[in-house]
C-alpha cells in the first residue's frame, strides 16, 4: 500500500502532551518524516529519521515508530504549536515515491 | 542564508502549459536531490516529483506522469517543472524542496515559499 493514514484532528490542553500518529505499510520498512504547517506558510520539517530534529526545532518535539505506526509527540504543547502536521514516507516498494498522510489539525486549548 | 525561491506560477487555461522555476542559494545545490510538492486550496500536501543530484534519476506521481517533467541546472542552482496538458485539478500552490536521502528515509528539509498555479478557463 502507498497510503499513510492520520487522524484529521487532535486537541491538547496547553502544557500537556499530545501524540499524533501516522499508519501505513511503508512504515514497517522506512522512517517517517514530520512537517508542521501554519496557515499561509510553507511546511517546516520538524522530525526526520529515527528521531532527529533539524536545527531550531524545540526539543519538545520527538518521534518514534513501532510496526506500521509512526508517532510525533509534543511534550508540553505551546500555543504556537497549533498547526497542521503531515507525515511522509517512501512508498513501500522503496522507490523515491513520496507519500504524505492526509494531515492532522492540532488545536491547543 | 539557505533559501529556495519559486517563480513562474499564474493563471493558465485547461490544456495549457507552464514552467515553474526554483532558485536555490546558501547551500550546495548540486549535492541534493530535489522535489516538487503541491497543495490544492484547502487540501493536504501531495508529492509531485523527485530528481537526483545528477539528474540521472527522476520519478513522478501517477497523477502527473506523462504531463510534467522535472529538470535541474546545477550550474545555475535551479530546479524546474515543465507542466503540460494542465487540468483544473492541477490548481495548487507548488513548493520546491531539497531532499535528504538515506537508506531508511527521505526528508524534505528546506522548502520554498511556494508559487500558485491556477488552471481555469
Amino acid at each position: 500500500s502507498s497510503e499513510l493514514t492520520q487522524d484529521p484532528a487532535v486537541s491538547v490542553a496547553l502544557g500537556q502532551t499530545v501524540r499524533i500518529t501516522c499508519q501505513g505499510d511503508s512504515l514497517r520498512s522506512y522512517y517517517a518524516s514530520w512537517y508542521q504547517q501554519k496557515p499561509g506558510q510553507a511546511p517546516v520539517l520538524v522530525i526526520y529519521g529515527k528521531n532527529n530534529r533539524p536545527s531550531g526545532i524545540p526539543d519538545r518535539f520527538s518521534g518514534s515508530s513501532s510496526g506500521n505506526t509512526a508517532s510525533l509527540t509534543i511534550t508540553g504543547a505551546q500555543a504556537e504549536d497549533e498547526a497542521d502536521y503531515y507525515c511522509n514516507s517512501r512508498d513501500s516498494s522503496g522507490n523515491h515515491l513520496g507519500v504524505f498522510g492526509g494531515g492532522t489539525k492540532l488545536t491547543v486549548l | 542564508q539557505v533559501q529556495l525561491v519559486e517563480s513562474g506560477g499564474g493563471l493558465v487555461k485547461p490544456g495549457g502549459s507552464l514552467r515553474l522555476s526554483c532558485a536555490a542559494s546558501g547551500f550546495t545545490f548540486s549535492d541534493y536531490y530535489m522535489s516538487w510538492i503541491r497543495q490544492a486550496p484547502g487540501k493536504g500536501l501531495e508529492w509531485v516529483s523527485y530528481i537526483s543530484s545528477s539528474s540521472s534519476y527522476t520519478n513522478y506521481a501517477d497523477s502527473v506522469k506523462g504531463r510534467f517533467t522535472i529538470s535541474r541546472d546545477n550550474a545555475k542552482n535551479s530546479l524546474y517543472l515543465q507542466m503540460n496538458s494542465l487540468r483544473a485539478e492541477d490548481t495548487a500552490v507548488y513548493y520546491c524542496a531539497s531532499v535528504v536521502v538515506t537508506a531508511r528515509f527521505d526528508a524534505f528539509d528546506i522548502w520554498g515559499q511556494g508559487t500558485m498555479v491556477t488552471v481555469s478557463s
Side-chain angles (χ1 to χ4, degrees), chain A residues 28-33 35 37 41-45 48-50 52 86 88 90 95-102, chain B residues 33 37 39 43-47 50 57 59-61 95 100-109 111-114:
Chain A
R28 297 185 184 278
S29 302
Y30 301 102
Y31 291 116
S33 54
Y35 304 85
Q37 186 180 34
Q41 297 183 18
V44 172
L45 177 66
Y48 64 98
K50 191 172 184 179
N52 301 295
Y86 295 90
N88 167 262
R90 288 192 194 168
N95 290 326
H96 297 290
L97 188 69
V99 181
F100 281 97
Chain B
Y33 271 57
I37 298 144
Q39 187 170 36
K43 302 297 185 181
L45 300 173
E46 180 187 15
W47 170 78
Y50 274 122
Y57 171 89
N59 207 351
Y60 300 90
Y95 297 101
V100 173
V101 175
T102 74
R104 292 289 306 275
F105 68 89
D106 297 339
F108 306 106
D109 65 337
W111 295 65
Q113 85 288 351

Side-chain angles (χ1 to χ4, degrees), chain A residues 17 29 35 61 68 71 105:
Chain A
T17 296
S29 302
Y35 304 85
F61 289 88
N68 73 335
S71 300
K105 168 65 178 174

Side-chain angles (χ1 to χ4, degrees), chain A residues 5-93:
Chain A
T5 302
Q6 297 182 242
D7 291 330
V10 171
S11 62
V12 61
L14 184 67
Q16 296 304 299
T17 296
V18 62
R19 177 177 293 181
I20 298 170
T21 61
C22 174
Q23 289 187 303
D25 288 344
S26 63
L27 299 178
R28 297 185 184 278
S29 302
Y30 301 102
Y31 291 116
S33 54
W34 289 93
Y35 304 85
Q36 176 193 70
Q37 186 180 34
K38 297 180 180 180
Q41 297 183 18
V44 172
L45 177 66
V46 293
I47 290 290
Y48 64 98
K50 191 172 184 179
N51 181 21
N52 301 295
R53 282 178 289 104
S55 174
I57 300 301
D59 60 6
R60 63 179 179 270
F61 289 88
S62 63
S64 61
S65 184
S66 179
N68 73 335
T69 302
S71 300
L72 172 70
T73 300
I74 307 174
T75 303
Q78 301 300 302
E80 60 264 32
D81 299 334
E82 186 163 292
D84 294 325
Y85 290 85
Y86 295 90
C87 61
N88 167 262
S89 179
R90 288 192 194 168
D91 180 83
S92 54
S93 66

Side-chain angles (χ1 to χ4, degrees), chain B:
Chain B
Q1 72 278 25
V2 172
Q3 196 172 9
L4 294 170
V5 179
E6 302 94 336
S7 60
L11 175 63
V12 61
K13 289 181 168 54
S17 297
L18 211 55
R19 190 195 196 205
L20 305 183
S21 299
C22 171
S25 60
F27 66 102
T28 307
F29 178 75
S30 58
D31 285 348
Y32 280 81
Y33 271 57
M34 295 294 295
S35 188
W36 289 97
I37 298 144
R38 69 184 181 182
Q39 187 170 36
K43 302 297 185 181
L45 300 173
E46 180 187 15
W47 170 78
V48 173
S49 183
Y50 274 122
I51 187 168
S52 64
S53 54
S54 65
S55 302
S56 60
Y57 171 89
T58 59
N59 207 351
Y60 300 90
D62 287 344
S63 57
V64 307
K65 199 171 293 185
R67 301 187 299 121
F68 290 12
T69 302
I70 191 171
S71 63
R72 64 191 295 162
D73 185 337
N74 287 342
K76 294 183 177 180
N77 290 337
S78 292
L79 175 73
Y80 306 102
L81 186 68
Q82 178 66 44
M83 304 186 295
N84 298 330
S85 304
L86 282 161
R87 308 166 179 166
E89 54 265 35
D90 296 319
T91 295
V93 174
Y94 285 74
Y95 297 101
C96 66
S98 60
V99 192
V100 173
V101 175
T102 74
R104 292 289 306 275
F105 68 89
D106 297 339
F108 306 106
D109 65 337
I110 304 165
W111 295 65
Q113 85 288 351
T115 187
M116 182 72 204
V117 172
T118 303
V119 184
S120 174
S121 55

